[in-house]
Amino acid sequence: MTRVINMVLVDCQPEIEQQYNRWYNEVHIPLIMQYSGIVETTRYQLLKGPENQARYLTIYEFKDQQAMDAFPLSPEFRVVDAELHSSWKGSEFTIKAAAQYALIKKWTL
C-alpha cells in the first residue's frame, strides 16, 4: 500500500482571513477527517514569496490511490461539499492549484 497526497493551494480575501482559517481548521478539516481513507491532514501558511503565490497549503494524506479515488464518491465527501457550499458563496477564496502525488521514499530523523 503506497500512500498518496493531495496538495491544495488556496488564497482568500484578506478581510475574511480569520473567519476562513477558523472555519477551515474547526469545521472543514474535521469533516474531511471523518473519511477513513485519510491518514493525516496538514496545513501550512506562506512565510514569504511573490504576491500572486497562494497563502495556504493543505496536504491531505490518503492510505493509497484507491482511497483517494474513492473519496469524491463517498458519503463523507457529500457532507463536506454540502457544508462548504452552505458556508461560502464561492468568491471568498480561490483554489490556486491542486495536485496529487504518490510516495517514492520517506526519510525521518
Side-chain angles (χ1 to χ4, degrees):
M1 208 169 15
T2 300
R3 292 201 175 165
V4 296
I5 61 169
N6 181 36
M7 295 180 12
V8 180
L9 290 96
V10 176
D11 224 353
C12 70
Q13 296 175 359
E15 61 271 13
I16 59 113
E17 197 163 11
Q18 237 180 355
Q19 177 188 0
Y20 172 78
N21 282 313
R22 187 172 35 258
W23 167 80
Y24 208 100
N25 293 338
E26 297 175 11
V27 177
H28 190 63
I29 296 299
L31 285 176
I32 287 175
M33 294 301 293
Q34 295 296 309
Y35 179 64
S36 64
I38 290 187
V39 177
E40 182 175 87
T41 299
T42 309
R43 289 191 74 211
Y44 297 91
Q45 183 174 349
L46 181 68
L47 293 175
K48 60 182 176 179
E51 280 187 34
N52 64 343
Q53 185 68 33
R55 288 189 46 87
Y56 299 101
L57 164 67
T58 305
I59 300 174
Y60 302 96
E61 186 172 340
F62 290 82
K63 290 179 182 177
D64 55 27
Q65 181 74 47
Q66 183 179 358
M68 186 169 67
D69 291 345
F71 181 56
L73 306 172
S74 70
E76 293 87 353
F77 180 83
R78 284 192 291 281
V79 170
V80 168
D81 192 52
E83 193 290 320
L84 183 142
H85 287 92
S86 71
S87 291
W88 302 101
K89 296 174 191 157
S91 61
E92 299 90 355
F93 63 91
T94 306
I95 296 174
K96 297 273 214 160
Q100 296 77 41
Y101 293 88
L103 177 67
I104 296 173
K105 184 171 174 70
K106 187 174 185 172
W107 292 261
T108 57
L109 295 176

